[in-house]
Amino acid sequence: MNTAFDVIVKNGLLMDGTGAPAVRRHVGIRQGRVAVLSEAPLDEAGCPTVIDAQGRWVTPGFLDTHTHYDAELIVAPSLSESVRHGVTTVLVGSCSLSMICSEAEDASDIFTRVETVPRDKVLPILQQHKRWSTPEEWVGFLQKHPLGPNVISFLGHSDLRVSVMGLERSTDRSVVPTAQEMTQMERGLESALKAGFLGLSTMSLKWDKVDGDRAWSKSLPSTYARWKEVRRLNALLRKYGRVHQGAPNAANPFQILEFLFETIGTWLRKPLKTTLIALIDLKGNKTVKPMAKLASWVANAFGGNFRWQLLPTPFTVYAEGIDVEFFEEFGAGEMALDLRTQVERNALLKDEAYRRNFRKFYGEKLSPRVWQRDFGDALILECPDQSLVGRNFADVAKARGIHVVDLFLDLVVEFGRSIRWYTTVGNHKPEVVRSLVQHRHTLISFSDAGAHIRNMAFYNLPLRFLKLVHEAAHTQKPVMPIEQAVWRLTGEQADWFGIEAGKLRVGDRADLVVLNPQAFNQDLEAVHWADMENFGLQRLVNRNPGIVEHVLINGKVAVAHGEVQAELGHATGYGQFLPVVQGLK
């Protein structure tokens, strides 16, 4: 019998994902599992891969529990932009959007405009490759697919609703699903839960819009569901002990009460695990943070099981011209984004009545909003007129003696998408972020990896969080022990979602990261352009050389000495579909 290890990681400071104190250990890996954790050196005879982790941290692979890799994993399954940062498990099917039950064109149209991945790229991928229409068939596809990281999934409510009702009926406010259609939706969800899905994702935010010709600019199908429909589906989630992921309607803050009521358990029903998007310290709406914290406290105090998703870094968004999603939250921005061609948009943007309307909305600082509506807080990054680069819109408007809205619209008419700018809409105060990440009713999540490919990049979210905690440890106000920070990215989320991941104990999956904490001394918020594999596009990504040195997935080396291995995404044996495991500890 061959007792040699497949991989040895020696001399590292092990944080096992439980929050226990870090210890110096030698890790022996065999057949994709942790075989030995030893204080003494291991026998290296016959071991083909020995990694010396002296002076390094050894942690479980990180979980990214809010991504939109649904289309990308079909044709570029390495998902290397996440794996290179130590992510070994990704969650898809968020925000009511999965690509499972609905036909190819429907799945594409509910996804591409919302997540700003071009329709002319996504639709052909689905038309060529999608041969599944049930959760079981999709899982079967993944089981044969050369996945990079492990995959866990929600079933998207918009996907499910469209597959049963059709795109037109599912986006018609006057249409309520028939009894037969409701039963079909319940059967579809139950089949997903039996196949090991985490639960159901829904969407209430009205500014997420449909692409294509048939229902252009209508809100996502999930937003048209009455709460009675959602409660029927929630009953199944309770029965199976699964999760409801949702996003409240930002224009109706009181809608959160419906989610809170549903999560609370009583003597007649079990609590419903619920996670909502998102706890953010918004510049433009200072009531969101305290209300969100109060809501989570009340829900959990009264027997609920509720978690906010929390981005542990400044929420910075990049825009091209008028193309940025938060403009959908007010009428004038929505009117422009509903127009498809630059000619149509320019005609609208030049119209004085439209400009008066835009200025009116811009001046309304008290209405519910995500964007702070301050062009003085928006910096121009790129522009054919180089004299504008590095300046904010308000300064330029002042120099020209015009209203800042007129200046912005003039520049969009002149330069279109060639004028690129950015703003930070929230999590802008480091001391507040350090406080928020200590909130126990949160999940460190919401990277949106795979989406908004020209608008944002949080692929390295776990590293940003670890850097925040690591740097604070050397101040008078530490955030938490680094072992607890690792747990928040690994074991905590794996246990809450009920999957086998996130820990490094004997017998556990060998999903492992070796990282160098000395390399945190770099800008983790910087963005770079990189090719999006098999899409013929470039997207914003993060590049942080020297931090993550090695990544193992299922005991196989996915990243070595900071380089993504060529086999990743081409050979099987790395990531797997991870089903929910009942009674997991």
Side-chain angles (χ1 to χ4, degrees):
M1 179 179 177
N2 183 9
T3 58
F5 297 109
D6 300 323
V7 181
I8 292 174
V9 181
K10 64 182 184 180
N11 301 320
L13 187 65
L14 175 69
M15 304 179 205
D16 68 3
T18 68
V23 290
R24 194 80 51 191
R25 288 291 183 269
H26 305 273
V27 184
I29 295 167
R30 191 183 293 123
Q31 296 181 348
R33 297 275 168 175
V34 177
V36 175
L37 295 173
S38 174
E39 293 184 51
L42 299 175
D43 183 1
E44 298 178 11
C47 179
T49 304
V50 178
I51 298 169
D52 190 352
Q54 182 70 41
R56 306 299 190 255
W57 296 349
V58 178
T59 76
F62 307 129
L63 280 71
D64 188 338
T65 53
H66 191 118
T67 83
H68 290 284
Y69 279 130
D70 305 73
E72 187 171 344
L73 68 80
I74 298 172
V75 294
S78 72
L79 305 185
S80 60
E81 293 303 339
S82 287
V83 173
R84 71 171 68 250
H85 298 297
V87 172
T88 59
T89 300
V90 300
L91 189 161
V92 298
S94 292
C95 300
S96 85
L97 303 173
S98 52
M99 294 181 169
I100 296 170
C101 301
S102 51
E103 296 294 328
E105 188 174 12
D106 292 337
S108 176
D109 283 355
I110 62 175
F111 180 88
T112 50
R113 181 171 171 184
V114 175
E115 305 306 340
T116 60
V117 184
R119 184 179 191 266
D120 62 359
K121 302 294 183 181
V122 173
L123 180 55
I125 288 171
L126 291 171
Q127 289 172 329
Q128 181 178 351
H129 297 281
K130 191 176 188 300
R131 298 293 179 267
W132 57 86
S133 58
T134 67
E136 299 90 344
E137 290 172 348
W138 183 75
V139 170
F141 164 75
L142 292 187
Q143 289 171 339
K144 299 175 183 178
H145 204 45
L147 294 174
N150 304 303
V151 172
I152 56 180
S153 185
F154 285 113
L155 183 65
H157 185 215
S158 287
D159 176 29
L160 177 63
R161 207 167 195 266
V162 167
S163 71
V164 171
M165 300 175 65
L167 183 60
E168 288 81 2
R169 292 184 71 248
S170 67
T171 54
D172 186 333
R173 175 62 62 188
S174 67
V175 175
V176 176
T178 65
Q180 182 180 3
E181 288 171 335
M182 198 63 237
T183 299
Q184 280 184 264
M185 280 193 266
E186 289 173 317
R187 287 174 180 167
L189 176 57
E190 189 160 28
S191 71
L193 301 179
K194 288 180 177 178
F197 280 54
L198 303 178
L200 182 74
S201 67
T202 63
M203 176 55 64
S204 303
L205 196 61
K206 303 296 184 181
W207 72 42
D208 283 350
K209 303 291 184 64
V210 176
D211 208 341
D213 296 323
R214 298 165 300 152
W216 168 257
S217 268
K218 288 193 173 184
S219 296
L220 287 179
S222 183
T223 67
Y224 294 90
R226 272 74 167 177
W227 201 251
K228 179 181 179 181
E229 176 183 329
V230 177
R231 282 198 299 267
R232 287 269 300 263
L233 299 175
N234 279 345
L236 280 171
L237 299 179
R238 273 200 192 84
K239 175 182 175 181
Y240 284 85
R242 303 298 169 82
V243 179
H244 181 159
Q245 182 209 76
N249 183 359
N252 179 14
F254 293 105
Q255 193 215 19
I256 192 178
L257 296 175
E258 295 173 317
F259 289 100
L260 299 184
F261 177 78
E262 284 291 291
T263 190
I264 292 172
T266 69
W267 64 278
L268 291 174
R269 69 182 194 185
K270 296 189 294 185
L272 174 64
K273 283 186 179 181
T274 302
T275 177
L276 295 186
I277 306 163
L279 177 55
I280 299 175
D281 178 31
L282 290 173
K283 286 182 179 179
N285 192 339
K286 299 185 186 304
T287 65
V288 168
K289 176 171 64 72
M291 287 179 61
K293 292 174 73 173
L294 175 62
S296 62
W297 182 87
V298 169
N300 289 291
F302 284 87
N305 193 344
F306 180 90
R307 300 291 184 274
W308 285 108
Q309 294 184 38
L310 171 63
L311 184 71
T313 189
F315 191 12
T316 298
V317 180
Y318 297 81
E320 293 171 334
I322 204 166
D323 284 278
V324 61
E325 189 175 21
F326 53 62
F327 276 11
E328 295 273 15
E329 71 178 345
F330 62 99
E334 187 179 21
M335 288 173 64
L337 293 173
D338 282 349
L339 299 175
R340 298 192 182 192
T341 70
Q342 195 65 41
V343 172
E344 290 176 300
R345 284 189 182 180
N346 285 352
L348 177 68
L349 302 186
K350 292 176 183 177
D351 182 78
E352 181 52 37
Y354 172 81
R355 290 188 171 217
R356 283 197 301 271
N357 196 16
F358 199 120
R359 289 193 293 266
K360 175 185 173 185
F361 280 109
Y362 181 79
E364 290 179 351
K365 306 298 185 183
L366 298 179
S367 59
R369 64 199 182 280
V370 171
W371 179 43
Q372 61 270 29
R373 301 183 193 176
D374 180 4
F375 280 123
D377 192 24
L379 199 68
I380 300 169
L381 283 173
E382 300 173 17
C383 184
D385 182 350
Q386 290 295 305
S387 69
L388 301 181
V389 174
R391 303 173 66 186
N392 69 65
F393 291 101
D395 284 347
V396 177
K398 184 177 180 180
R400 296 187 181 184
I402 61 176
H403 193 283
V404 68
V405 166
D406 292 307
L407 179 279
F408 175 75
L409 297 178
D410 287 344
L411 294 178
V412 173
V413 169
E414 183 175 1
F415 300 119
R417 294 182 177 92
S418 296
I419 184 164
R420 187 169 174 80
W421 54 280
Y422 79 95
T423 188
T424 298
V425 299
N427 289 357
H428 49 295
K429 299 176 181 177
E431 68 279 7
V432 174
V433 176
R434 287 193 291 268
S435 173
L436 288 177
V437 298
Q438 298 176 61
H439 197 286
R440 63 194 182 97
H441 299 143
T442 59
L443 299 172
I444 305 299
S445 187
F446 197 42
S447 81
D448 253 3
H452 308 291
I453 60 176
R454 300 181 67 83
N455 304 117
M456 60 180 71
F458 302 113
Y459 294 91
N460 62 353
L461 179 150
L463 303 183
R464 297 195 197 193
F465 177 56
L466 292 179
K467 177 181 178 179
L468 179 154
V469 174
H470 182 56
E471 291 184 341
H474 304 291
T475 70
Q476 294 181 341
K477 294 184 178 180
V479 172
M480 65 183 70
I482 196 65
E483 297 92 341
Q484 184 181 353
V486 169
W487 168 74
R488 297 225 64 194
L489 295 168
T490 57
E492 179 187 30
Q493 298 196 45
D495 288 347
W496 197 78
F497 284 110
I499 59 167
E500 187 196 3
K503 299 186 182 74
L504 283 179
R505 304 162 303 183
V506 172
D508 285 333
R509 296 178 53 84
D511 299 331
L512 176 151
V513 179
V514 178
L515 63 87
N516 179 7
Q518 302 298 319
F520 279 134
N521 188 23
Q522 58 181 288
D523 184 3
L524 270 61
E525 295 174 26
V527 294
H528 305 269
W529 291 103
D531 291 333
M532 188 172 179
E533 184 183 355
N534 292 330
F535 276 73
L537 298 169
Q538 285 215 319
R539 64 171 161 194
L540 288 180
V541 299
N542 307 114
R543 288 285 186 269
N544 306 117
I547 300 180
V548 172
E549 296 182 347
H550 303 274
V551 178
L552 274 63
I553 301 174
N554 197 29
K556 296 187 66 173
V557 178
V559 175
H561 305 289
E563 297 296 327
V564 175
Q565 299 301 281
E567 277 192 334
L568 192 70
H570 300 280
T572 57
Y574 288 95
Q576 303 169 349
F577 173 75
L578 300 184
V580 171
V581 181
Q582 297 292 351
L584 185 70
K585 292 184 179 179

